[in-house]
């Protein structure tokens, strides 16, 4: 590159006059410059230097790129250059556009500055969930709901799409609609509405296939997104809990640079101070046992109490669900509102009060706050999980009931049809087909729609409970504290009840479980993702407002970073656990005979078989049948298991190598320290000896031959340089302790030039 | 897109986009903030690259920096004269490094500069003591401060010169899970 620049100064560069190697070098130089420009952002140079370098490089590239283009194949080269420039411009515009599109960015930044990064991490999580749900919504809406609504048979044409005569009177009532009965039930919102016609409309859209694939696709997409995010987080965070840099990290990374609010800053200072004091205390005293038996007993007691709570809540839910079945059999109108909505209310209330109970119980345990938080999260997780599964088990009972009912209804229908034919039996078999209004046909019980409805009701009541808790627990409390404070005996703001803090972990868990319910129910109620999108949208605005208006920054400001992957892991577990029931029902239970896109099939996944046979060319199904042959599938599974085992063992060996390297680094570090200590000590003793010797030597001979000593001095100077080579000149801060050793520094101007010279003398004297 | 702004030429904006992590809109917004700090000093028209600097005292009053205990050091380490008076270039540079799009390595370099109070390219004990006192608003006793600084140096110092060079600092900070904030 340099010689080319020289050349350009001397004469104009003609690419034809350059030899191939020089051409190559020129190309490489241009390429290097381009890379430099791309990486300019990440360079730690001052801005002016960056701008100058940028301009220079761009000029260089333009000059020589144009010149290069004059050689052979220049048209193609010039075209390539132009396209790459256009592409870069397009990329930049697209990046600009993308950043402008991120919703709620300013809101979240404001919250971040007031409350720190842990509260903001909840809102970022909420936004991420919103994105996922949006995609799920687009899938279900675009590929399932819209085709059926546009191209399927309209409302009222076939029995499954019509409100039965018996219910028609109340089908428009708000109470019924709110319960998702009536017209809401017989619409694209639920499974039961869909017709099992194989291809609908002029597009020949394969409705049942699409329904099935969308169901599978939502789960697959969710898995992919969650695992990808987990992998990305794992990359960034690196080694998890490394205790080797405790104090350094506390010092350099504990301040949250995003804080812009004085109150939060004060809290942050206080919490940093406390954390330092704690660490110092831990460092100073050895671990005190402090009556370990009592602590252990208390912890066992606390866990026992928690287990009792969990068992109690599980039984309560089961009891309530069975009771609601009884009520349903007796007819819903005879019961009060509470009895009708018992299940959902009980589940929501349990979700609200049990965590508080766990909090109180955990006071017995006396753990470190971070450990206590993890236990708390684990227990709430177990609570929600237990509740959800009890709910599902109760649902399964109902499903079985409905299937029993189905058999009876099937029998009834044949009788009814026979009676209809008999009534018009005077006409012969060539008569017109019997016309009857679809609303009059006796209907089979549709357990899929019932499941969908249950989930939708659960989500709605959960949402309502959350919002009402928010309004009462946070807003009303804040209003009371603010206005009653003027006329109350004690300071409401400082003591009880004071303003509430934003419960990050509770809210995140709520969000995760909500999502689990969506995943569970989305197959039976395609409207669930749409409902969730709406719910998250409203939640975002409501909670942003509530946080800024009613909450105060937390006293113990915990970092969000470590918990990020924890929340993702929980999400993954929930995803797995919530798709299990859906998959079980799809695979084992036969679909209802007269509702839904799979009616009439023996199993829901038969639709795949049907598609393969009828829609694909013959050879495809042959290939597929070969591929699904157990003889092929089993070895494939074996191969995958072996691959997993192999990857696991390599990753283990990498981890071990990592630990080894760390140990080596540590020992090297200690070695260095030891060596330097020795060197410093030696230098100190040398200095003292030399000082002592100076006085004696000065008295003896003042006219020692300088040439002799000069040579020794210079060689000695070199030796000293080597010994303390890594300490560069420190002109200002000479620490009082190390002053003597630093006196040897060459940059220090050699204030005591005699010492090196005199050092030799004692040794000579000794010999 | 589509609105004609006359603060910067297009080449200037493109150059800024290449040298920082900001988009066009963000750079214009930054200029607005910079102008707000000192409306009489900062011209609205930057096309001829005027040379004006906003003094330290005005910059550290920005709401984003006001509560930060290291605000003075942050501004000083980005200023050319070391006194904390920033031209617009340096202003943009500072926020680019502090933004969430800057990579860890770049942040580590500047973090080192920020915590190096006496600007000697080493984090010696006084630097650490000053950092700690700023962090805890001097709530710790002197013995506690001493203990913490000694422990920190002991943990991170690899070459054993009882102060932290950039290599030590970088080695320690890249493993920290909380660093990016």
């Amino acid at each position: 590159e340099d010689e080319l620049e020289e050349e350009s100064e001397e004469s104009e560069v003609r690419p034809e006059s350059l030899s191939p190697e020089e051409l190559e070098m020129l190309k490489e130089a241009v390429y290097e410059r381009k890379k430099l420009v791309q990486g300019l952002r990440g360079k730690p140079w001052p801005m002016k230097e960056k701008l100058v370098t940028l301009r220079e490089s761009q000029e260089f590239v333009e000059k020589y790129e144009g010149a290069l283009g004059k050689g052979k194949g220049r048209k193609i080269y010039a075209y390539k250059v132009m396209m790459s420039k256009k592409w870069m411009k397009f990329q930049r515009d697209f990046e600009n556009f993308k950043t402008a599109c991120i919703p709620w960015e300013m809101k979240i930044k404001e919250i971040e500055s007031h409350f720190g990064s842990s509260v903001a991490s909840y809102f970022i999580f909420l936004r991420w969930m919103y994105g996922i749900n949006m995609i799920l919504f687009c899938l279900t809406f675009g590929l399932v709901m819209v085709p059926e609504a546009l191209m399927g048979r309209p409302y009222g044409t076939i029995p499954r799409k019509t409100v039965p005569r018996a219910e028609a009177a109340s089908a428009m009532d708000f109470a019924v609609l709110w319960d998702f009965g009536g017209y809401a039930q017989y619409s694209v919102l639920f499974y039961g509405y869909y017709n099992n016609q194989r291809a609908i409309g002029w597009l020949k859209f394969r409705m049942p296939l699409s329904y099935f694939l969308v169901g599978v696709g939502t789960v697959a997409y969710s898995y992919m997104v969650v695992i990808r995010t987990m992998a990305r987080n794992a990359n960034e965070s690196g080694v998890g809990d490394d205790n080797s840099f405790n104090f350094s990290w506390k010092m350099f990374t504990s301040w949250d640079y995003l804080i812009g609010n004085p109150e939060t800053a004060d809290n942050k200072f206080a919490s940093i101070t406390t954390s330092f004091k704690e660490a110092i205390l831990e460092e100073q005293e050895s671990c005190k046992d402090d009556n370990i038996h009592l602590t252990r007993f208390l912890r066992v007691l606390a866990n026992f109490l928690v287990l009792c709570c969990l068992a109690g809540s599980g039984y309560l839910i089961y009891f309530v669900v069975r009771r609601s079945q009884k009520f349903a059999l007796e007819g819903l109108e005879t019961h009060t509102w509470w009895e009708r909505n018992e299940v959902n209310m009980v589940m929501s209330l349990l979700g609200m009060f049990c965590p508080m109970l766990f909090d109180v119980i955990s006071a017995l345990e006396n753990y470190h706050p971070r450990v206590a938080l993890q236990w708390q999260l684990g227990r709430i997780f177990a609570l929600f999980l237990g509740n959800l599964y009890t709910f599902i088990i109760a649902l399964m009972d109902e499903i079985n009931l409905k299937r029993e009912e189905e058999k009876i209804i099937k029998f009834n229908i044949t009788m009814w049809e026979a009676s209809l034919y008999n009534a018009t039996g005077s006409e012969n078999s060539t008569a017109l087909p019997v016309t009857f209004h679809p609303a009059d046909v006796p209907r089979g019980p549709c357990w899929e729609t019932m499941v969908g409805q249950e989930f939708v009701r659960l989500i709605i009541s959960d949402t309502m409970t959350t919002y009402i808790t928010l309004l009462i627990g946070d807003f009303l409390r804040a209003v009371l504290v603010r206005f009653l404070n003027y006329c109350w005996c004690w300071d409401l703001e400082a003591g009880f009840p004071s303003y509430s803090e934003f419960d990050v972990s509770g809210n995140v868990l709520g969000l995760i479980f909500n999502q689990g319910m969506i995943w569970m129910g989305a197959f039976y109620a395609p409207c669930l993702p749409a409902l969730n999108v709406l719910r998250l949208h409203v939640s975002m605005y409501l909670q942003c407002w509530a946080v800024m208006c009613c909450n105060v920054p937390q006293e113990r400001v915990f970092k969000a970073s470590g918990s990020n992957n924890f929340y993702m892991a929980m999400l993954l577990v929930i995803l797995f656990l919530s798709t299990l029931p859906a998959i079980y029902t799809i695979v084992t239970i036969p679909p209802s005979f007269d509702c839904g896109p799979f009616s009439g099939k023996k199993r829901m996944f038969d639709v795949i078989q049907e598609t393969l046979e009828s829609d694909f060319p013959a050879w495809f199904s042959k290939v597929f049948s070969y591929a699904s042959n157990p003889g092929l599938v089993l070895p494939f599974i074996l191969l995958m298991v072996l691959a997993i085992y192999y990857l696991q063992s390599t990753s283990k060996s990498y981890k071990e190598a990592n630990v080894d390297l760390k140990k080596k680094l540590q020992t090297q570090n200690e070695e260095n320290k030891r060596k330097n200590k020795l060197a410093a000590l030696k230098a100190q003793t040398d200095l003292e000896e030399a000082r002592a010797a100076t006085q004696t030597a000065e008295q003896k001979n003042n006219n020692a031959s300088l040439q002799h000593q000069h040579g020794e001095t210079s060689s000695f100077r070199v030796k000293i340089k080597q010994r303390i080579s890594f300490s560069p000149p420190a002109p200002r801060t000479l620490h009082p302790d190390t002053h003597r050793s630093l006196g040897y520094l060459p940059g220090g101007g050699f204030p005591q030039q005699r010492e090196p010279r005199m050092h030799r003398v004692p040794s000579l004297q000794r010999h | 897109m589509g609105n004609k702004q006359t603060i910067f030429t297009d080449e200037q904006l493109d150059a800024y986009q290449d040298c920082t992590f900001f988009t066009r809109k963000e750079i214009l917004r930054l200029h607005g903030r910079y102008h707000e700090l000192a409306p009489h000093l900062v011209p609205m028209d930057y096309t001829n690259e005027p040379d004006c600097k906003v003094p330290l005292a005005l910059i550290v009053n920005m709401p984003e920096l006001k509560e930060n205990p290291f605000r003075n050091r942050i501004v000083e380490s980005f200023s050319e004269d070391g006194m904390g008076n920033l031209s617009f270039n340096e202003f943009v540079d500072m926020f680019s490094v502090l933004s969430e799009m800057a990579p860890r390595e770049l942040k580590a370099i500047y973090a080192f500069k920020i915590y190096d109070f006496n600007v000697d390219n080493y984090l010696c004990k006084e630097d650490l003591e000053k950092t700690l006192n700023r962090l805890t608003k001097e709530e710790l006793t002197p013995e506690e401060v001493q203990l913490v600084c000694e422990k920190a140096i002991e943990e991170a110092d690899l070459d054993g010169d009882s102060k932290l060079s950039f290599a030590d600092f970088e080695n320690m900070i890249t493993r920290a899970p909380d660093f990016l904030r």
Side-chain angles (χ1 to χ4, degrees), chain A residues 550-565:
Chain A
C550 328
N551 288 104
V552 285
Q554 293 166 318
E555 280 199 12
R556 297 210 74 132
V557 196
F558 276 117
K559 284 289 180 129
S561 52
S563 343
N564 233 352
N565 243 12

Side-chain angles (χ1 to χ4, degrees), chain A residues 566-677:
Chain A
F566 180 63
Y567 293 140
M568 283 293 149
M570 273 208 292
L571 195 62
L572 193 66
V573 170
I574 290 284
L575 174 59
F576 179 68
L577 291 176
S578 51
T579 49
L580 274 183
I583 293 180
Y584 174 74
T585 49
I586 291 177
V587 168
T588 51
I589 306 184
S592 300
F593 74 96
D594 75 339
C595 74
F598 307 114
S599 57
K601 300 200 174 44
K602 257 187 56 175
R603 290 269 185 275
M604 290 190 195
F605 53 81
D606 281 344
V607 70
I608 301 273
Q609 192 72 9
E610 197 191 16
T611 315
L612 280 177
E613 282 167 10
S614 27
D615 286 330
F616 282 101
W619 55 265
F620 200 84
S621 62
K622 231 193 266 177
V623 168
F624 208 74
S625 67
Y626 286 154
S628 56
N629 188 2
L632 207 59
V633 169
L634 280 178
F636 183 67
I637 293 182
L638 196 64
L639 199 67
M640 284 210 299
V641 166
L642 283 176
I644 291 178
Y645 176 71
Y646 171 74
L647 287 173
Q648 165 102 334
S649 56
T650 30
S651 102
K652 217 195 299 189
S653 67
Y654 283 149
K655 272 195 201 144
E656 280 171 13
N658 210 6
V659 167
D660 268 343
L661 281 173
K662 253 194 238 172
K663 275 200 209 134
K664 266 197 200 149
L665 207 61
Q666 274 289 82
T667 42
Q668 186 66 24
N669 178 14
E670 280 160 23
E671 270 289 312
N672 280 346
K673 278 200 191 140
R674 204 169 42 86
K675 266 193 229 159
N676 288 349
K677 271 205 188 108

Side-chain angles (χ1 to χ4, degrees), chain A residues 37-38 40-48 50-51 54-55 58 88 92-93 95-96 99-100 105-106 109 112 117 124 236-237 239-240 242-263 265-266 268-269 272-273 276-277 280 283-284 559-562 658 662 665-666 668-670 672-673 676-677 726-728 730 732-733 735 738, chain B residues 1 14-26 29 49 51 63-64 66-70 74 80 89-90 92-93 96 98 100-101 103-104 106 109-110 113-115 118-120 122-126 128 131-132 134-137 139-141 144-145 147-149 151-161 163-164 169 171-173 175-181:
Chain A
V37 165
Q38 271 179 5
L40 205 53
R41 290 189 186 105
K43 295 255 188 282
W45 304 333
M47 193 62 161
K48 251 197 209 150
K50 279 200 263 195
L51 285 172
L54 178 69
R55 206 177 313 143
Q58 279 177 337
M88 264 182 34
R92 176 175 294 161
D93 284 340
E95 282 296 322
N96 282 358
T99 2
E105 186 71 10
M106 292 313 286
K109 284 268 181 279
E112 223 168 12
S117 52
I124 294 178
E236 275 177 19
S237 67
V239 192
D242 202 0
N243 266 331
S244 48
F245 293 114
N246 215 1
F247 279 95
S248 331
W249 284 348
K250 273 208 213 302
M251 198 181 302
F252 292 116
T253 63
S254 50
W255 180 257
D256 190 348
Y257 274 64
L258 293 164
I259 293 181
N261 179 22
E263 201 179 334
D266 281 337
K268 191 73 174 143
F269 282 126
I272 292 179
T273 314
F276 268 115
K277 286 206 193 247
I280 292 174
E283 183 68 30
Q284 276 173 344
K559 284 289 180 129
S561 52
N658 210 6
K662 253 194 238 172
L665 207 61
Q666 274 289 82
Q668 186 66 24
N669 178 14
E670 280 160 23
N672 280 346
K673 278 200 191 140
N676 288 349
K677 271 205 188 108
F726 43 77
S727 316
R732 279 183 255 168
T733 54
H735 203 268
T738 51
Chain B
M1 298 238 104
D14 279 339
Y16 277 130
Q17 284 193 12
D18 274 328
C19 293
T20 65
F21 293 97
F22 289 127
T23 63
R24 201 185 136 98
K25 202 159 127 179
E26 287 164 351
R29 207 192 294 161
E49 295 180 25
D51 185 27
E64 288 86 354
K66 204 158 60 148
E67 300 301 328
N68 198 318
F70 302 109
I74 296 176
E80 220 179 309
N89 284 341
E90 293 153 358
V92 167
D93 200 20
S96 168
L98 288 176
E100 57 198 9
M101 298 159 287
R104 193 170 248 206
L106 187 62
I109 296 177
Y110 279 102
K113 284 200 196 152
I114 290 174
Y115 294 126
N118 49 15
V119 202
D120 61 349
Y122 281 91
L123 297 179
C124 58
K125 205 138 172 254
E126 286 87 30
L128 294 184
T131 310
L132 191 56
R134 296 269 178 107
L135 266 182
T136 58
K137 276 196 173 170
E139 290 271 328
L140 296 178
T141 66
E144 289 174 335
V145 168
L147 176 68
V148 172
C149 293
K151 290 289 310 172
I153 292 187
E154 195 185 305
E155 285 169 358
D157 189 17
L158 285 180
D159 47 18
D161 54 357
K163 43 189 184 173
L164 305 182
F169 183 76
N171 176 48
M172 178 263 293
I173 213 87
R175 296 162 199 280
D178 295 334
F179 177 54
L180 283 181
R181 292 266 169 216

